[in-house]
Amino acid sequence: MKTLQPDTLIRNPSGAPIVACVTVNCSAACLWQLVGQFSGFDAFIPQMTHTEMTGTGVGALRTKYFRDGHRVVEQLNSWDEHTMHMTWTTIYNTLGIARLWAAMHVEALGTECSKVTWTIIAEPVDVTQVGFEAFVQGFAYSALENVRRLLG
């Protein structure tokens, strides 16, 4: 009988980063208060109904529920309030995404002007899928435009 060895299905995606960013007329602290809350993405992504959290801080899991019935489970990898930066990994979803890693970063451009950058590296389940990168880019940019409307 073969001895069992540690294994995992989780691995980082490969591919070119997909980047969406917007400038918002508010302080970086105000912007981070909205986009830096791992449990609060439903505040600026209207396609979501709510989020359920398991645990707190780095290592916590969030389940995002979408109006069309889709679900996404993600783990918080890093979160730094001082640098206004966080990263997470998708570990389960019903959207056809094989692997996804993402980062959110806020930087001050002045006292009442700041920029948020959402970086995503993702792989579709179906590698022949056309338009996957454009869909991810459009989704992220639309969400950040909602942030601009909410705060700007």
Side-chain angles (χ1 to χ4, degrees):
M1 183 168 153
K2 185 176 178 181
T3 304
L4 295 176
Q5 297 293 315
D7 61 356
T8 183
L9 295 175
I10 299 171
R11 70 174 176 82
N12 285 322
S14 60
I18 298 166
V19 180
C21 65
V22 297
T23 302
V24 183
N25 292 323
C26 71
S27 70
C30 181
L31 182 54
W32 179 248
Q33 184 61 34
L34 180 59
V35 301
Q37 303 308 312
F38 189 62
S39 62
F41 276 38
D42 52 325
F44 61 90
I45 300 176
Q47 297 93 330
M48 289 178 58
T49 60
H50 67 288
T51 301
E52 291 180 1
M53 294 296 300
T54 304
T56 59
V58 172
L61 301 178
R62 73 175 171 195
T63 302
K64 298 187 303 191
Y65 292 86
F66 290 83
R67 296 187 191 289
D68 63 5
H70 285 292
R71 275 196 269 170
V72 177
V73 179
E74 297 168 321
Q75 182 176 43
L76 183 62
N77 299 328
S78 68
W79 189 88
D80 188 324
E81 186 172 13
H82 178 71
T83 62
M84 293 182 278
H85 185 264
M86 71 173 159
T87 64
W88 64 93
T89 303
T90 298
I91 57 176
Y92 171 81
N93 72 89
T94 60
L95 296 170
I97 299 170
R99 281 165 285 291
L100 183 142
W101 171 91
M104 188 75 76
H105 178 69
V106 170
E107 63 183 293
L109 301 178
T111 56
E112 289 301 316
C113 186
S114 51
K115 180 172 86 170
V116 56
T117 303
W118 190 350
T119 304
I120 301 168
I121 300 174
E123 298 174 17
V125 169
D126 179 359
V127 295
T128 64
Q129 181 179 345
V130 176
F132 178 75
E133 289 83 6
F135 166 77
V136 173
Q137 177 80 53
F139 179 85
Y141 184 73
S142 173
L144 294 186
E145 277 298 314
N146 286 333
V147 168
R148 186 195 331 245
R149 280 193 287 280
L150 288 166
L151 299 177

